[in-house]
């Protein structure tokens, strides 16, 4: 830091001899008593204690500054700052201290609250006026006055106002006002303040200026969070994407997860349904592992937090996202660390990327109050996916049954196949009853949300407090959620060289969830809308239980979720608490930091289903789950600048993480009593389980910068984890990175390019997203209804492998950061490649292992997989004027993935891994040489126009185990479909391309923003389409295409075959006529590419329009800023996918993406909000 | 220099403080271990194999074997036009050589998995027990004499269930035992120890048929040695846990199958002469109870589920009149699945005298209690019963029942012995060993030995219970015993196939097209299903 000759806001350590200073400071004790708030000024309230010997004036003044809020303003030309003084005072006023200090010196002072102006005795000065007499006694002066505010209208004290090209200057007073005498021919004033863009104001004929300082949002000097520290954006040589608060608030998101969609290159967010609190899936740079988890590590204010869904679902209820409990309004910034240079400092947890969330803190200045209130309504974006109405349905089934020689469809027969059916219907009634079950279960959603944030800051510290309350009523009837959260951030300079910080985030949700399941056994809700709730069925029946038609038959979706029949409540609490301290050691540039963080997540679930839904009486389940993670670390940060050209930063430390979980479920059946609780049931079952995991890591990072343009960085981390045996517990993860700012070179004379930085990194990371206890066999206990005579038993849950060790991901990253036209256009281009080796693979065991189907695997370090891609992003300030700004942002990224090897047995047999996906059905293959989760199924070849039967391509297996067409087209019998499965290379759930676009326009008092996101190249298996296009026995919903687009007579050229009951055609696998019906599959267990659809979409994620009320209308009410805005989310999705919503999760087990019975539409939300600052 | 020293010292302190007590830092509070620490906890291990034999809804080894055996046999017919899934058809069309069951056809694959789970579920506690025996110590500390006896019994039950598991595996996935051959076919892995680690599992060793049967016989012999003749358990159905006689009956069953009739007869004598079992109850009595409602006197062993269990076998739904949804058996509570597709074959019905060539009711039908209790005849479909013009008298004669999706234009006789409990049909106890079978097996063994008197006596015990008149020793024939066995045991444990193999008789084609099908002849060398693909793909034993 360069010393400004005339103004000393602070002194630098380097100007002192550190050791001698340390000795002298032994005798110094300063205490500034900060009084209670009163009308008196700071100088009047403050009492000073001083005791020191033989210290320079400069040192003394600096010490006072550091330990109080006083700021000394003086001209070094006439103050002898080297003058030595000894002084000892106790509880004295500042005036007394100054009198003693300058006793015998030709120095006077004037005190204006916290500002102390020192000048030569004979001069008379006014508050806030620089020593113009010293600057140039000979020149004629003119006075310039003004006020400096931030963009929200708050006055800014302490802003430096300097006459350009001189050392003449002043700082603004506590009200942001300044008054400066300058030469009459002076032309420019420079206004600067930490964290804000420096402004130059041309002096015109005016004598008064109002200055608005703007936040330094995207500047290269912007400081961004990296692992265990911060770094200037310009100096970052890893792949890091940053989102500011402005980016976050633009879409008024409901959760921190959704802020990322379309905003950062290489980051995929599947936002899923519009159910409040629903988790969203995030993948950074695709997937980096097969069996281990591929979700990123989340760090909030330095504390690793529990992420992902917290479930205890009883019957298909939507899970509660833990991250959704963090208030987006509290977010200051988000950094997404993507390459090894950025993530390897997190070692074993870094391979899936790291997301750093920094929450807001108080800023220096006045107390600020921020109020944000919004409310909105929502509806489903799309509910019509082609289901037939009652008449069409009966016509379809009539056709099916007739074609199968079974006469007409019988609604009575359909009802009779339902367990517990108590009411029946006639065909005539059915033809007269048209129920749109999606509509029956839906409503217009609504929400309101109130946020209050109070912050303040001073030289001694800052504080931030926010409160949030949100009440959601989703588009599903009876589905409501309340969310309350509070966030406290306190940071204080407790001691002279010690900073302390405290962070507390507490969030609570009360979620009235809805169960959702297909089939029988008391299911209901949305799952039944897509399965067994037929359009000719009634909703209500006066004679039915609780007024519903056939509620015990389990197919009435509304009866299944009405609180009179079923309840499912989940209350969740998430507490994130952190305490950190920094000791600025006497060694210049060396500080020691310690962080203690605790994340406690707990929930209690209560589900109940009445005897009106169940044949065997009411059931209830209560559950509790808690996970507490304690994280404590300590590390050094050392900054040094040597000879002005070498800049070094070293971080080294240790981190410990202890995680404990506890789970309890209690279930009662055949309940006694009418209360919706377990109570005293006839059958009681349940269990508890505990889990634990311990992680310790030693880490270090060194970043070196030469001449502000050459960069090098290394990091090393050694991690140990309790999930492995002691022999394999520890592993070391290394990374190295290089950077070069070419544009800083003298030879680089191409002016339009203001920044050209080349960077590259190579490093290693690991993955801890594996279960605990996999090194040894584990046993489980069955209890309750699943067992013989209802009694318990023990079973081998899984087979352990004591030899497993860390999997390692080697990552290569090369990129360019660029800036054009003085960085008005900037962005980056990066190429990355990741190779995971010694993969922690859950290797499928043969059934002869004797483990239950779901656990029939054993973890091994086997297999390799690579992935890679290119990322590009650009941000442009198209227009940047005072009253009109227009910014554009665009990002796009590609991703490929290839499995190199799996376990020797499956590689040798060329079979790959066949994991079950939705509904327990296998539709994908993961095999060496192919992409992870390549779709694997019969390949549809259309309809035999003479016979009306579906056809598939005959398939042969090649030597390498892959498949190819034989050239023959054969009937799609279940047998043929089973034998002729095609590995549909390049078709998987992973998008090949994804990205986003955003723009923000500010014109005068208006602002307008748009955010779009897109994904392409991925495929979805539309199980719903398969189900609705398969007329079995008239028990499942049907698609009207069966009536309109299917084969009816010889010669028809259609995509869909003849409609028959039960998919039984009288043609065998060779196409020969038969007298017995031959199965052509089912609604579920015969996957066909007929139902594989592209998942491409372009989504208009958010459109917002805001209006800032003119300040002159607000000033008299002491309101800084008021913005009124309207916003619409999920307004439009352009896609060819025929289901509700193409944003479906990727199933980690199988790699596929499935539209299932429980898939829901997204909600389209319209909101209006008001934001005010005081 | 001082600065550097301070730095080094501080860093050293930091790193040292973090690294101290590394081992204890990672020490788990709850490490994995065997779940059994007392005799009462070991009970939890013994209970599991019984449950696994029932598997789950559509993967029950008991149900899968029964369906497959019934469907492949000559006594069933596959109804034309029924909406069955493909693999039902594959059983009937005997495609075991050509068809590879896909993962979508879960039935046999699941059964295969459950049977190996029985192997693991028995091997682990058996290892615990035998390790203690080898060491000359008790399994647990401070055991009482009673507890030692209990552990002994547990060992017997575990050995019994391991034998049953491999017996089921051998019956579907290996060629039948050939009393006159080498039995060296290697078809699946025999695990008799508690295996450790993926490598051992993925590199298994295939056992010969001889080795498998030797193991089964030895396990049952060992079980007989340690099992008591009776004991009291906490189960609702006391006969859901096996005793010495159940083990002897099971071994007799296997000996008969292996052609070792003398050994079988000795064991059958023990069981029948024990006096613990009788045929005093009606034929349906073995099938119409849930746990807690008592057991028919003929039950040696049954699988019993609680009134709330969800683990009930649904597979007999495919080959019997009643569906698992039924509550109350017949009448208004009757239910039938649309995918039920196997009835008794016409040829069999004519052979046993239950149906004439003109499809009218045969001479032996109406007098037989089983015809009315455990079978049901449906008349030919005449009209859509739900249409306004339909005359109810033209179709099935009972009211308020479920009609199959496909009208069947001829009279048919369904099996109707499953899901018959009035309390909760789906949770009806499933007989596994019945005294009637013991009599019938001893009858045919006696007959083959030339002891017609003994054969007739045993046969008549069964006939008497069915309300039929005795057959004299002069009139008794092998066919009479065989017909009685068809009627008594149809649909249970693939008995028809079992019997024909034991008798080294051709497995006939039944109603199948004689131009396309041929009987399966002894020694039935190719009569077995391929193990599931997933087993082959993941076990180098199959290379």
């Amino acid at each position: 830091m360069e010393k400004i000759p005339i103004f000393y806001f602070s002194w630098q350590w380097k100007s002192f001899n550190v050791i001698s200073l340390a000795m002298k400071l032994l005798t110094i004790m300063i205490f500034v008593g900060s009084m209670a708030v009163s009308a008196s000024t700071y100088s009047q309230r403050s009492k000073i204690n001083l005791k020191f010997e033989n210290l320079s004036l400069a040192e003394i003044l600096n010490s006072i500054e550091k330990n109080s809020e006083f700021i000394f303003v003086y001209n070094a030309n006439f103050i002898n700052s080297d003058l030595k003084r000894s002084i000892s005072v106790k509880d004295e006023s500042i005036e007394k201290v100054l009198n003693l200090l300058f006793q015998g010196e030709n120095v006077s002072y004037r005190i204006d609250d916290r500002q102390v102006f020192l000048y030569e005795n004979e001069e008379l000065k006014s508050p806030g006026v620089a020593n113009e007499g010293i600057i140039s006694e000979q020149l004629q002066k003119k006075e310039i006055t003004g006020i400096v505010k931030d963009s929200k209208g708050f006055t800014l004290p302490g802003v430096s106002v300097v006459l350009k090209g001189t050392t003449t200057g002043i700082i603004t007073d506590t009200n942001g006002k300044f008054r400066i005498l300058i030469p009459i021919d002076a032309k420019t004033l420079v206004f600067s303040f930490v964290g804000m863009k420096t402004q130059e104001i041309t002096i015109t004929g005016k004598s008064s200026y109002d200055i608005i300082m703007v936040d330094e949002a995207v500047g290269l000097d912007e400081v961004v969070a990296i692992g265990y520290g911060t770094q200037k954006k310009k100096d970052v040589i890893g792949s890091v994407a940053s989102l500011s608060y402005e980016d976050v608030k633009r879409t008024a998101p409901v959760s921190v997860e959704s802020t990322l969609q379309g905003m950062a290159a290489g980051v995929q967010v599947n936002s899923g349904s519009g159910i409040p609190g629903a988790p969203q899936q995030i993948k950074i740079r695709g997937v980096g592992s097969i069996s281990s988890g591929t979700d990123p590590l989340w760090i909030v204010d330095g504390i690793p937090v529990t992420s992902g869904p917290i479930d205890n679902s009883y019957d298909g209820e939507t899970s509660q996202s833990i991250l959704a409990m963090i208030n987006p309004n509290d977010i200051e910034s988000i950094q997404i660390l993507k390459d090894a240079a950025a993530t390897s400092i997190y070692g074993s947890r870094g391979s899936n990327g790291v997301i750093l969330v920094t929450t807001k803190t108080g800023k220096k200045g006045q107390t600020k109050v921020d109020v944000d209130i919004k409310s909105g309504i929502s509806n489903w974006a799309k509910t019509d996916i082609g289901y037939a109405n009652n008449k069409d349905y009966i016509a379809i089934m009539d056709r099916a049954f007739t074609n199968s020689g079974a006469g007409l469809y019988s609604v009575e027969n359909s009802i009779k196949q339902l367990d517990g059916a108590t009411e029946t219907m006639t065909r005539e009634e059915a033809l007269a009853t048209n129920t749109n079950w999606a509509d029956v279960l839906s409503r217009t959603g609504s929400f309101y949300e109130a946020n209050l944030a109070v912050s303040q800051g001073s030289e001694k510290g800052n504080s931030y407090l926010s409160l949030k309350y949100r009440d959601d009523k989703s588009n599903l009837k009876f589905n409501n959620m309340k969310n309350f959260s509070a966030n406290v951030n306190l940071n204080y300079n407790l001691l002279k060289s010690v900073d302390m910080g405290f962070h507390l985030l507490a969030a609570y949700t009360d979620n009235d969830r809805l169960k959702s399941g297909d089939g029988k056994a008391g299911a209901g809700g949305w799952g039944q809308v897509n399965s067994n709730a037929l359009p000719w069925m009634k909703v209500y029946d006066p004679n039915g239980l609780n007024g519903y038609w056939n509620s015990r038959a389990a197919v009435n979706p509304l009866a299944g979720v009405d609180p009179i029949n079923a309840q499912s409540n989940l209350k969740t609490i998430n507490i994130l608490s952190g305490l950190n301290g920094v000791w600025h050691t006497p060694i210049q540039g060396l500080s020691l930091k310690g962080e203690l963080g605790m994340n406690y997540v707990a929930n209690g679930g209560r589900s109940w289903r009445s005897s009106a839904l169940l044949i065997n009486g009411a059931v209830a389940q209560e559950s509790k789950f808690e996970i507490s993670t304690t994280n404590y670390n300590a590390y050094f940060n050392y900054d040094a600048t040597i000879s002005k050209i070498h800049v070094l930063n070293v971080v080294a430390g240790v981190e410990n993480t202890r995680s404990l979980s506890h789970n309890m479920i209690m279930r009662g059946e055949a309940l006694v009593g009418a209360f919706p609780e377990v109570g005293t049931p006839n059958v009681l079952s349940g269990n508890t389980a505990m889990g634990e995991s311990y992680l310790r890591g030693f880490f270090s990072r060194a970043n070196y910068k030469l001449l502000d343009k050459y960069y090098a960085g290394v990091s090393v981390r050694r991690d140990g984890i309790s999930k492995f045996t002691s022999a394999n517990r520890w592993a070391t993860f290394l990374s190295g990175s290089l950077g070069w700012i070419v544009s800083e070179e003298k030879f680089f004379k191409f002016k339009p390019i203001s920044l050209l930085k080349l960077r590259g990194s190579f490093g290693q990371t690991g993955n801890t997203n594996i279960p605990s206890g996999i090194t040894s066999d584990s046993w489980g206990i069955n209890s309750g209804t699943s067992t013989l005579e209802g009694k318990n038993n023990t079973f081998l849950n899984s087979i352990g492998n004591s030899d497993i060790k860390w999997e390692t991901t080697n990552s290569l990253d090369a990129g360019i950061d660029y800036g054009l036209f003085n960085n008005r256009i900037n962005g980056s281009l990066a190429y990355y490649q990741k190779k995971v080796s010694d993969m922690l693979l859950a290797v499928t065991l043969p059934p002869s292992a004797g483990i239950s189907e779901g656990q029939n695997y054993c973890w091994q370090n086997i297999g390799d997989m690579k992935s890679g891609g290119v990322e590009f992003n650009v941000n442009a300030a198209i227009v940047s004027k005072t009253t009109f700004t227009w910014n554009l942002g665009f990002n796009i990224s590609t991703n490929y993935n290839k499995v190199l090897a799996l376990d020797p047995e499956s590689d040798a047999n060329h079979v790959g891994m066949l994991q079950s996906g939705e509904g327990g059905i296998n539709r994908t293959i993961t095999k060496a040489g192919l992409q992870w989760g390549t779709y694997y199924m019969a390949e549809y070849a259309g309809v035999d126009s003479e016979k009306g039967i579906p056809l598939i391509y005959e398939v042969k297996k090649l030597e390498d185990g892959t498949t190819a067409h034989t050239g023959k087209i054969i009937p799609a019998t279940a047998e043929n479909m089973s034998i002729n499965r095609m590995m549909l290379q390049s078709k998987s759930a992973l998008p090949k391309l994804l990205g986003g676009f955003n723009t923000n326009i500010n014109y005068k008092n208006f602002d307008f923003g748009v955010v779009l996101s897109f994904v392409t190249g991925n495929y979805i298996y539309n199980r719903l389409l398969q189900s609705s296009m398969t007329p079995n026995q008239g028990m499942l919903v049907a698609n009207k295409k069966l009536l309109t687009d299917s084969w009816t007579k010889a010669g028809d050229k259609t995509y869909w075959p003849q409609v028959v009951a039960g998919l039984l055609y009288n043609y065998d696998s060779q196409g020969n006529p038969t007298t017995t019906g031959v199965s052509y599959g089912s609604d579920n267990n015969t996957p066909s590419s007929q139902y594989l659809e592209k998942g491409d979409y372009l989504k208009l994620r958010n459109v917002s329009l805001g209006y800032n009320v003119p300040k002159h209308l607000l000033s008299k009410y002491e309101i800084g800023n008021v913005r009124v805005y309207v916003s619409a989310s999920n307004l439009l999705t352009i896609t060819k996918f025929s289901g509700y919503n193409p944003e479906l999760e990727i199933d980690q087990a199988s790699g596929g993406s499935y539209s299932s019975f429980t898939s829901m539409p997204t909600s389209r939300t319209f909101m209006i909000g008001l934001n005010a600052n005081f | 220099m001082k600065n550097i020293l301070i730095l080094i010292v501080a860093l050293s302190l930091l790193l040292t403080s973090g690294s101290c007590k590394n081992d204890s830092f990672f020490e788990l509070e709850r490490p994995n271990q065997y779940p059994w620490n007392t005799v009462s906890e070991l009970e939890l291990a013994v209970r599991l194999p019984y449950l696994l034999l029932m598997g789950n809804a559509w993967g029950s080894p008991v149900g899968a074997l029964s369906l497959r055996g019934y469907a492949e046999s000559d006594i069933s017919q596959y109804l034309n036009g029924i909406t069955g899934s493909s693999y039902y058809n594959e059983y009937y069309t005997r495609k075991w050589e050509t068809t590879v069951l896909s993962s979508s056809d879960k039935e046999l694959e699941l059964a295969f998995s459950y049977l190996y789970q029985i192997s693991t579920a028995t091997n682990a506690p058996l290892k615990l027990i035998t390790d203690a025996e080898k060491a000359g110590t008790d399994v647990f500390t401070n055991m009482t004499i009673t507890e030692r006896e209990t552990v002994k019994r547990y060992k017997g039950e575990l050995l019994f269930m391991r034998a049953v598991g491999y017996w089921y595996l051998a019956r579907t996935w290996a060629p039948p035992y050939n009393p006159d051959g080498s039995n060296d076919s290697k078809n699946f892995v025999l695990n008799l120890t508690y295996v450790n680690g993926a490598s051992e599992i993925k590199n298994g060793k295939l056992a010969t048929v001889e080795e498998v049967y030797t193991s089964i016989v030895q396990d049952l012999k060992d079980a007989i040695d340690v099992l008591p003749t009776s004991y009291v358990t906490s189960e609702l159905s006391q006969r859901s846990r096996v005793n010495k006689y159940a083990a002897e009956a099971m071994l007799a069953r296997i000996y008969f199958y292996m052609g070792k009739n003398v050994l079988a007869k000795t064991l059958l004598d023990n069981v029948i002469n024990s006096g613990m079992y009788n045929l005093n109850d009606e034929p349906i009595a073995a099938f119409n109870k849930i746990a807690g409602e008592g057991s028919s006197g003929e039950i040696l062993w049954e699988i019993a589920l609680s009134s709330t269990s969800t683990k009930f076998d649904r597979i007999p739904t495919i080959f019997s009149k009643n569906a698992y949804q039924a509550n109350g058996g017949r009448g208004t509570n009757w239910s039938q699945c649309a995918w039920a597709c196997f009835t008794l074959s016409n040829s069999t019905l004519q052979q046993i005298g239950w149906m004439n060539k003109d499809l009218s009711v045969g001479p032996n039908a109406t007098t037989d209690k089983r015809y009315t209790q455990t079978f049901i005849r449906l008349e030919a479909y005449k009209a859509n019963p739900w249409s306004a013009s339909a005359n109810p008298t033209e179709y099935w004669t009972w009211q308020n029942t479920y009609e199959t999706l496909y009208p069947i234009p001829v009279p048919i006789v369904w099996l109707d012995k499953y899901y018959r409990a009035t309390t909760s049909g789906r949770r009806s106890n499933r007989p596994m060993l019945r005294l009637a079978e013991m009599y019938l097996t001893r009858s045919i063994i006696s007959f083959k030995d030339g002891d017609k008197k003994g054969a007739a006596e045993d046969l008549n015990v069964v006939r008497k219970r069915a309300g039929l008149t005795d057959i004299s020793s002069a009139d008794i024939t092998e066919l009479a015993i065989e017909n009685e066995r068809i009627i008594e045991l149809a649909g249970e444990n693939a008995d028809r196939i079992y019997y024909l193999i034991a008798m080294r008789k051709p497995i006939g084609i039944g109603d199948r097209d004689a131009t396309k099908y041929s009987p399966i002849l002894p020694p039935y060398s190719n009569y077995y299903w391929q193990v599931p693909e997933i087993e082959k793909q993941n076990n180098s034993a199959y290379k």
Side-chain angles (χ1 to χ4, degrees), chain A residues 69-84:
Chain A
E69 295 179 28
F70 289 116
I71 300 167
F72 294 99
V73 183
Y74 59 94
N75 188 323
N77 291 336
F78 71 92
I79 300 282
N80 181 5
S81 58
D82 293 331
L83 186 68
K84 305 290 185 185

Side-chain angles (χ1 to χ4, degrees), chain B residues 367-388:
Chain B
T367 55
D368 195 325
K369 285 183 177 179
R370 292 162 298 192
Y371 182 74
T372 53
Q373 290 186 12
T374 57
F375 292 85
I376 189 79
R377 175 183 163 111
L378 305 189
E379 299 305 326
Y381 170 86
K382 295 280 178 61
N384 182 351
W386 310 109
S387 70

Side-chain angles (χ1 to χ4, degrees), chain A residues 228-419:
Chain A
Y228 309 100
T230 57
Q231 205 170 17
K232 273 188 184 177
K233 201 169 183 180
K234 181 183 175 185
D235 296 340
V236 173
I237 48 176
S239 272
V240 178
S242 296
L243 271 70
S244 67
Y245 172 65
E246 295 298 320
D247 297 322
V248 171
K249 78 169 187 181
R250 191 175 300 170
T251 55
V254 293
S255 79
V256 60
E257 300 145 294
S258 58
T259 60
L260 305 178
Q261 192 178 38
M263 297 296 283
V267 180
Q268 185 184 3
V269 181
N270 289 320
S271 64
S273 71
I275 299 301
Q280 302 183 30
Q281 187 183 54
I282 295 176
K283 301 291 175 201
I284 297 175
R285 291 185 165 178
V287 291
S289 192
I290 291 177
S291 302
S292 308
T294 56
D295 294 333
L297 171 69
W298 286 78
I299 308 278
V300 177
D301 291 333
I303 305 168
V305 298
T306 304
S307 59
I310 186 166
D311 196 2
N312 278 344
S313 162
Y314 181 27
D315 194 4
E317 295 96 332
T318 303
S319 301
Q320 169 72 47
S321 163
I322 298 170
L323 291 166
M325 299 174 75
I326 295 174
N327 184 358
N329 277 356
D330 290 336
I331 295 172
E332 179 76 37
S333 66
I334 298 175
Q335 269 72 45
I336 301 148
L337 315 184
K338 296 186 282 191
D339 71 332
T343 61
S344 67
I345 191 78
Y346 289 102
S348 61
R349 296 172 293 178
S351 66
N352 299 320
V354 182
I355 298 176
L356 307 179
V357 178
T358 305
T359 61
K360 288 179 183 170
T361 55
K363 298 286 186 297
K364 195 170 134 183
Q366 288 180 316
T367 298
K368 292 182 183 178
V369 179
D370 189 287
V371 176
D372 189 64
I373 299 168
K374 55 194 167 199
S375 182
I377 55 171
S378 63
N379 63 0
W380 291 128
K382 178 184 180 185
T383 54
D384 182 5
I385 57 171
Y387 291 157
N389 63 17
N390 64 326
K391 286 180 182 164
D392 286 349
Y393 187 89
I394 291 170
I396 288 165
M397 296 315 302
D398 279 349
R399 183 187 289 186
F401 279 44
T402 305
N403 287 341
S404 297
L408 293 178
Y409 170 63
S410 162
V411 298
E412 295 92 334
N413 278 355
S414 282
I415 296 169
K416 285 193 173 198
Q417 293 197 47
L418 302 172
D419 287 4

Side-chain angles (χ1 to χ4, degrees), chain A residues 19 401 404-406 410 412-413 416-417 419 520 587 590 616 632 634-636 652-654 656-658 669 683 690 692 694-696 698 720-722 729-730 773 776-779 785-796 799-800 843-853 858 860 903 905 908-909 911 914 920 922 974-975 978 981 1033 1061 1064 1075-1077 1079 1085, chain B residues 3 6-7 10-11 14-15 18-22 25-30 32-36 44-45 47-48 50-51 78 80 82-84 86 89 95 99 102-104 106 110 112-113 116-117 120 124 191 194 196-198 201-203 234-237 240 291 303-306 308-311 325 338-339 386 400-403 405-407 426-427 534-539 543:
Chain A
I19 300 303
F401 279 44
S404 297
S410 162
E412 295 92 334
N413 278 355
K416 285 193 173 198
Q417 293 197 47
D419 287 4
K520 299 170 182 174
I587 301 174
L590 179 68
N616 294 322
Y632 47 101
Y635 58 94
F636 279 105
V654 60
N656 300 282
T657 304
R658 301 176 70 85
E669 294 174 62
V683 181
M690 299 181 76
E692 55 190 324
Y694 309 119
L695 174 78
R696 169 166 288 172
F698 301 94
I721 196 167
S722 59
R729 178 163 292 150
W730 291 92
S776 56
D777 298 353
S778 75
W779 294 79
T785 57
S786 64
T787 61
L788 186 74
E789 292 191 26
K791 305 283 175 47
N792 298 341
N793 59 66
T794 52
F795 63 97
L796 181 62
I799 289 184
V843 177
T844 304
L845 294 175
S848 57
I851 316 292
S852 59
E853 192 185 23
C858 183
Q860 289 183 280
D903 63 294
E905 286 82 11
N909 293 327
V911 293
L914 301 171
N922 167 258
E975 182 184 33
S978 172
R981 295 175 73 184
Q1033 288 111 37
L1064 289 165
T1075 52
T1076 303
S1079 173
N1085 60 16
Chain B
N3 291 353
I6 291 172
L7 180 63
L11 277 173
L14 176 70
L15 298 180
S19 61
C20 63
K21 294 184 179 176
N22 254 347
F25 178 83
F26 293 107
E27 209 166 89
L28 295 179
E29 292 174 13
R30 297 166 66 91
N32 281 323
Q33 57 188 11
Y34 266 133
W36 318 297
L44 303 179
R47 196 190 299 268
L48 178 63
Y50 292 104
L51 172 68
Y78 184 69
N80 185 21
I82 288 293
T83 59
S86 60
N89 191 301
K95 288 194 172 176
T99 298
S102 73
S103 57
S104 61
K106 288 282 183 187
L110 274 173
F112 185 85
S113 170
Y116 271 109
Q117 287 177 51
T120 298
N191 290 329
Y194 178 50
N196 281 310
I201 292 166
K202 290 173 75 71
N203 296 285
S234 60
E235 310 287 356
L236 287 170
S237 166
S240 65
I303 292 179
L305 300 169
S306 76
T308 57
S309 177
T310 58
K311 294 282 184 185
Q325 293 102 324
W339 50 85
W386 310 109
N400 198 22
T401 56
Y402 176 69
E403 187 203 15
L405 178 61
Y406 285 83
R426 66 190 70 193
R427 299 180 183 93
I534 190 171
E535 173 71 16
K536 288 185 177 178
Q537 290 167 354
N538 293 289
N539 198 336
K543 279 182 183 171

Side-chain angles (χ1 to χ4, degrees), chain B residues 56-73:
Chain B
N56 72 3
W58 298 106
S60 159
V62 174
L65 176 71
S66 299
L67 167 63
R68 184 191 63 73
Y70 185 56
E72 289 166 7
S73 75

Side-chain angles (χ1 to χ4, degrees), chain A residues 380 383 435-443 475-476 526 529 1140:
Chain A
W380 291 128
T383 54
T435 305
N436 184 325
W437 286 105
D439 287 351
V440 167
L441 207 61
S442 304
R443 66 180 175 189
N475 291 126
L476 283 177
W526 191 260
V529 170
Y1140 292 118

